[in-house]
Amino acid sequence: MTVSRRALSAMAAISAAAFLITACSHDGGGPASSGAAGGTYQIWDPYPQFDGSSDWAKLLQKCGTDAGVTVKRTGFDTTDLTNKALLAAQQNNSPDVLIVDNPVVSTLAEAGVLTTTADTKVDTSAVEPNLLAAGQLDGKTYGIPIGANTLALYYNKKVLDAAKVDPATVKDWPSLTAALAKVKAAGKKGITFSAIGTEEGSFQFLPWFWGAGANLTQLDSDQGVAALTLWTDWLTKGYAPNSVLNNTQTTSWQEFATGDFAFAENGTWQLANAKKAGFEYGIIPIPGRGGGTAPAPTGGEFVTAPVQSDAGRYATAEKLIGCLTSSDNAYATDTTLSYVAATETVQRKQVEANRDLTVWVAAVQAAKGRTSDNLGTKYPKISEPMWTAFQGALSGGKSPRDALSTAQTAAAAATR
């Protein structure tokens, strides 16, 4: 494989790809030395918060030692990492292993930057198919997930008790809305979430959109309209605050942390904060419209192998990737990153060690990638009209159906 001229046009698309980086709460390298055996192998990751003394950095060095090579690791800001990866590919100076946010995989793959797992012989057989799908395009797989995070509903037990609501009865949209009505009647606040006009808002809308049975290729379907109507009705009835229009996932969490709200839609990355909140909390899956767990979008990174002019380097890259994603190492890494593992074996181990992860494992097992269904780089062109639609409807400017009809027209034109 060689890096095609598509990498040049990918630079224009990178601003769109960059906004996808929302779920995970998380300087340059020089040329890698050539040769398949021994030498120095570069690994770029999006974890600049971990310095050389961290467990993560030590794991990278151990994997290098086990493979008989020296690892040079560089941590970048996530958005900067994608730009650097494209530039490096154009200059034939890519790292040997690149760890990148999962929605960006399709951008890099379409630009010809990444090898497939068939090229490098990376074994993905144990990975949950719904998680692996975020790194697939046109029937090919471009890496292996290091772990995943997603969304669920946190609840405040004291608020629900005062409203005489049993969280176990919240199984679908009608039962959730009924619970919110009881909470409001008891003088408390219902649910907070992020509906900001960015990818962060789309990330939080997708469980309701997908949970209604809607598809991203038809934003204005009856199912999509039902999802947006659910949100707008909550605001109209006072079950959710108008602040959701400007809430990020962080400010939404801060509202929940006041202790006044019954529910908050948020992610695994808030578990540590939940334990510090000062009130008893619990977690339930986001319900689908008619029941079951709604598919929520996945966050988390993929471990990939960029294209090299020296194909002999792939054998060692495969060893490094295999080491980083092995069961024992994935368990330690996913605990550090507050991720649910990508394989059922490690997921079971996580739940045995921490029962709080039971709901999160179920949520991840039902989740799907934003670029799945072979959407790839079309997803950003759909997401922006979608968030424009729910902003318009929630602010009262348009009905849910009119807002999504306009969005569908815009998305269809952008993805032709």
Side-chain angles (χ1 to χ4, degrees):
M1 292 177 64
T2 57
V3 179
S4 74
R5 287 182 297 174
R6 288 175 296 175
L8 297 172
S9 61
M11 289 302 295
I14 209 59
S15 60
F19 81 175
L20 297 171
I21 303 153
T22 59
C24 318
S25 45
H26 298 311
D27 310 330
S33 60
S34 61
T40 299
Y41 279 68
Q42 288 201 51
I43 297 179
W44 291 1
D45 67 49
Y47 313 127
Q49 70 271 31
F50 297 134
D51 63 20
S53 65
S54 66
D55 289 342
W56 169 249
K58 290 175 182 176
L59 172 60
L60 297 180
Q61 296 305 321
K62 179 184 182 300
C63 287
T65 299
D66 290 349
V69 298
T70 299
V71 163
K72 181 179 180 183
R73 174 253 176 170
T74 308
F76 293 95
D77 171 77
T78 308
T79 303
D80 193 33
L81 175 60
T82 310
N83 290 317
K84 287 285 198 299
L86 282 164
L87 287 169
Q90 292 175 31
Q91 297 163 0
N92 194 27
N93 192 28
S94 293
D96 296 281
V97 176
L98 175 66
I99 303 170
V100 65
D101 197 43
N102 77 66
V104 180
V105 172
S106 59
T107 296
L108 297 178
E110 192 171 87
V113 173
L114 303 178
T115 63
T116 69
T117 53
D119 295 325
T120 54
K121 312 303 181 189
V122 170
D123 182 9
T124 62
S125 59
V127 178
E128 296 291 296
N130 65 317
L131 301 182
L132 193 62
Q136 293 175 329
L137 187 67
D138 296 330
K140 297 179 180 178
T141 303
Y142 291 90
I144 183 170
I146 202 166
N149 53 29
T150 194
L151 298 165
L153 293 180
Y154 289 84
Y155 66 82
N156 183 321
K157 187 175 185 301
K158 183 177 179 181
V159 172
L160 291 188
D161 285 349
K164 295 182 170 52
V165 172
D166 179 357
T169 64
V170 176
K171 299 291 188 181
D172 51 24
W173 290 4
S175 57
L176 175 56
T177 299
L180 297 178
K182 289 181 180 179
V183 168
K184 184 186 177 187
K188 290 294 186 178
K189 298 176 182 178
I191 186 168
T192 177
F193 49 90
S194 170
I196 194 170
T198 68
E199 176 60 20
E200 207 158 350
S202 289
F203 190 80
Q204 292 235 323
F205 181 59
L206 280 172
W208 312 100
F209 184 81
W210 283 334
N215 190 295
L216 285 168
T217 59
Q218 192 64 46
L219 295 175
D220 60 349
S221 66
D222 289 346
Q223 294 89 342
V225 172
L228 185 47
T229 300
L230 180 74
W231 269 19
T232 55
D233 283 354
W234 285 350
L235 262 69
T236 301
K237 295 175 181 177
Y239 300 161
N242 288 328
S243 58
V244 300
L245 277 157
N246 297 308
N247 269 348
T248 64
Q249 292 180 111
T250 298
T251 57
S252 173
W253 179 262
Q254 290 167 349
E255 286 183 335
F256 180 66
T258 64
D260 293 331
F261 282 85
F263 296 97
E265 179 184 354
N266 228 295
T268 47
W269 53 91
Q270 298 292 5
L271 266 176
N273 288 329
K275 293 174 182 177
K276 300 174 186 175
F279 53 80
E280 191 174 355
Y281 72 93
I283 306 162
I284 59 173
I286 297 174
R289 183 182 185 182
T293 299
T298 56
E301 287 78 42
F302 266 61
V303 188
T304 68
V307 171
Q308 304 293 330
S309 57
D310 178 3
R313 299 185 70 83
Y314 296 149
T316 297
E318 187 276 332
K319 290 179 183 178
L320 295 172
I321 293 170
C323 177
L324 292 175
T325 57
S326 70
S327 293
D328 289 344
N329 292 333
Y331 175 76
T333 299
D334 290 335
T335 300
T336 298
L337 298 175
S338 295
Y339 283 168
V340 171
T343 66
E344 185 179 0
T345 299
V346 183
Q347 289 172 358
R348 286 199 303 267
K349 187 175 180 181
Q350 288 180 305
V351 170
E352 288 170 2
N354 182 359
R355 292 294 172 184
D356 285 350
L357 292 177
T358 302
V359 170
W360 293 112
V361 167
V364 164
Q365 289 174 343
K368 64 187 294 183
R370 286 162 280 175
T371 59
S372 296
D373 300 327
N374 210 40
L375 285 178
T377 55
K378 291 181 180 179
Y379 173 74
K381 300 171 186 177
I382 297 170
S383 178
E384 185 167 357
M386 183 169 65
W387 83 54
T388 302
F390 61 66
Q391 279 267 303
L394 292 173
S395 63
K398 287 187 176 182
S399 70
R401 185 169 295 280
D402 286 347
L404 287 171
S405 178
T406 300
Q408 176 58 30
T409 300
T415 56
R416 282 196 188 109

